[in-house]
Amino acid sequence: MSFRRSLAFFYLLAVPALAASPQRPADDDMQWGWYGGDAGGSRYANLRQIDRGNVGKLRVAWTYRTGELGAGFLRPGKLSFETTPILVNGSLYLSTPTNIVIALDPATGRERWRYDPKIPRDRHYSENTSRGVSWWIDTTREPAEPCASRIFMGTLDARLIAIDGTTGRPCADFGVGGSIDLSQGVRMTGRGDYLVSSPPALYGGLVITGSAIGDNRGVELERGVVRAFDARSGTQRWAWDPIPTATSTDLTDRGWTASGAQRTGAANAWSILSVDAGRDLVFVPTGSASPDFFGGERSGDNRYANSLVALRASTGKLVWHRQLIHHDLWDYDLAAQPLLIDIERDGKSIAAVIQATKTGMLFVFDRETGEPVFEIVERTVPASDVPGEATSPTQPFPATPALVSHAAITPQDAWGLTFYDRGRCRELIENYRSEGIFTPPSLRGSIFSPGYAGGVNWGSLAFDSERQLILAAVNNVPMVVTLIPRDRFDAQRKSGDWPQSEFARQEGAAYGMRREALMSPLGLPCTAPPWGTLAAIDLKRNAIRWQVMLGSTRDRTPWFVPSGTLGMPNMGGPIVTAGGLAFIGAATDNYLRAFDVETGQELWKGRLPAGGQATPMTYEIGGRQFVVIAAGGHGGLDTTRGDYVVAFALPQE
């Protein structure tokens, strides 16, 4: 046996030992030890001090300012403060959009330490956020030893960093000086377009991460490899690539051609992974293959892109997968964290995984087998009329209720505040292709409804196990995507005729792309509100229990214009507590809100100093329950900028 094969053999023997060292709570005060509340993303806290009877008394308990407003950053206006803190070992840990990690006293908000990895600030990044950090404890070390408790974070400059949870210093024994260069082994093509925006997952002695890729710049881009590293040393233990190689034996079965597999990139998992440690499973939501809006260079279904994938957490081997979008042309990445819960169905308890999508659909699977719990049918969808494109003839639709309308937008649906803007919206809709959900991109322009930021995004789901209710923040703003022949792309982009549009070159494809929201001259969507809602889905009845408008026009209109609750676009998600409350920021006005889980009635809202486009969290310490949210605004939604972390609590007697 060769030396290399011997190492591989002994690694395989060691895998069970890795799994036998589970992540464990450090103390009784830890109620939010993972980004999603727990490793399965339930976003639920078994806390009752704040309830429906007293939530109206909530007041600001403390405010912390990170000091990070993007000084020296190439595009400071694009920064988005999307972090959700975690509480472990008696400290709150969070990250700024520029990857500064901060530890706070959870009772007072006082800073304990901060660590700045000093990412390059003169670089163009395709994403400008960090959603948080992850925590791991080394059970082989004494608690007082350096790096016995570790904070892990992925960065905008493509590093995976390990930090001592007690001191904030890098763990020197991890990688090189505390970090790993993730740009290696992924076919790097553009610095700043390959990065990590979501916290990694932990399983035993492994730290597992995906990546965010700017996937509209071209065909042949970075590959969306998911990788696991030894949490102590940083040694890579396994890697799984959603795109096969040109010589893979299952190439055809996975809906790929050899040339497509060779050239295409992305299909990456940029959102949050979920872990079922007891079953040795990590659940990976993947995105679209590159580029998003033209698939002529990647014919076929493109499995495992746009799929919920269950991998063996200890080895990275595929266990099962379900593709939820075939041959994606809409940028319908699986953006939400897979939700691992036990549901009641036909008198039985089922260990399930639920995947929400940008299409506003909920897919429910048996966690072990991947079999659908609620039936899924393939329905015929519109075909492309673009030369060189071949759409999938069908797409999967689950038997669960849709959270947004899938109907075609017609000129009769045009909406506006005045006769003028309604008329202009009617003209716009008449000019575009609009055949309902899965209308493919076209040369004349196609209406996507829901749009590529629609349905359920990275804010993900929350689950109330007592009531068997799933809560979701939902977007419903239509978008327009137009394909531009290559020889006309540069002229159109430079013309100045589309100042509110985003252009993408899609290098290597026959077409570039232009996209924008379907908006009236007054800057409001051309379809009637609500454009953002909070919904509760009753799994026992397989029905929507309630769906209410989320957010008002305040902070989006001049001070002298009365604000109204219309339901606004949102980024961020809800959490649920045993006190019968759902807390959420997310909307474009500067509020944190509390809703009655049973009815959807808004019971309280607290004013924030900046946009709260982040998911809140909650914990109880010293006998007092706190609800905490990052309030720093969102570059994409152009909300109020800031650097605040705000904690609410009931007044102390």
Side-chain angles (χ1 to χ4, degrees), residues 12 159 206 239 252 378 421 452 574 631:
L12 290 173
R159 286 180 284 163
L206 299 177
T252 303
E378 292 283 336
D421 61 317
Y452 45 83

Side-chain angles (χ1 to χ4, degrees), residues 213-483:
I213 296 173
D215 50 11
N216 277 322
R217 31 194 241 284
V219 173
E220 192 168 342
L221 302 182
E222 297 85 1
R223 299 177 73 93
V225 184
V226 177
R227 289 173 283 186
F229 299 91
D230 188 294
R232 297 180 179 89
S233 68
T235 302
Q236 182 172 310
R237 295 304 189 192
W238 56 256
W240 176 80
D241 194 335
I243 300 176
T245 64
T247 58
S248 295
T249 56
D250 62 348
L251 192 72
T252 303
D253 292 340
R254 287 171 58 179
W256 288 92
T257 64
S259 60
Q262 177 63 32
R263 296 189 63 207
T264 306
N268 50 300
W270 60 263
S271 189
I272 306 95
L273 314 183
S274 291
V275 174
D276 183 335
R279 291 178 172 83
D280 188 11
L281 293 174
V282 57
F283 293 89
V284 180
T286 64
S288 58
S290 60
D292 283 336
F293 300 105
F294 180 72
E297 305 298 325
R298 50 173 173 85
S299 60
D301 281 351
N302 306 149
R303 277 167 260 163
Y304 304 118
N306 302 94
S307 297
L308 176 60
V309 180
L311 302 178
R312 189 67 63 201
S314 57
T315 65
K317 300 299 182 184
L318 179 73
V319 178
W320 59 262
H321 88 283
R322 289 283 177 170
Q323 188 176 55
L324 306 185
I325 306 290
H326 307 318
H327 191 74
D328 186 12
L329 301 174
W330 305 271
D331 193 13
Y332 283 159
D333 298 342
L334 300 193
Q337 179 181 10
L339 174 62
L340 309 186
I341 60 174
D342 294 332
I343 65 173
E344 299 171 15
R345 179 93 168 138
D346 298 328
K348 297 185 299 183
S349 178
I350 300 173
V353 52
I354 301 181
Q355 182 64 56
T357 67
K358 291 183 181 181
T359 61
M361 302 185 204
L362 297 177
F363 293 84
V364 186
F365 302 100
D366 183 289
R367 211 181 302 167
E368 291 200 38
T369 66
E371 290 300 312
V373 176
F374 293 89
E375 183 185 13
I376 299 172
V377 296
E378 292 283 336
R379 295 180 185 169
T380 302
V381 294
S384 175
D385 58 3
V386 174
E389 183 60 87
T391 45
S392 172
T394 65
Q395 293 290 346
F397 288 77
T400 50
L403 304 180
V404 297
S405 172
H406 293 157
I409 294 175
T410 69
Q412 289 70 40
D413 296 317
W415 179 89
L417 293 177
T418 68
F419 177 80
Y420 166 70
D421 61 317
R422 282 195 300 274
R424 180 59 181 143
C425 283
R426 191 176 299 114
E427 293 174 1
L428 287 172
I429 295 170
E430 287 175 343
N431 290 334
Y432 293 128
R433 182 176 179 183
S434 178
E435 300 173 35
I437 192 170
F438 296 117
T439 300
S442 63
L443 299 177
R444 63 187 274 203
S446 295
I447 296 177
F448 288 8
S449 181
Y452 45 83
V456 183
N457 214 285
W458 54 264
S460 308
L461 304 171
F463 181 62
D464 185 326
S465 59
E466 179 182 343
R467 298 171 179 85
Q468 291 281 292
L469 287 179
I470 289 176
L471 272 73
V474 184
N475 274 311
N476 193 22
V477 177
M479 314 296 285
V480 176
V481 170
T482 306
L483 295 179

Side-chain angles (χ1 to χ4, degrees), residues 26 68 81 98 128 359 444 490 573 645:
E68 178 55 275
F81 198 17
T98 54
N128 298 275
T359 61
R444 63 187 274 203
D490 287 334
V645 181

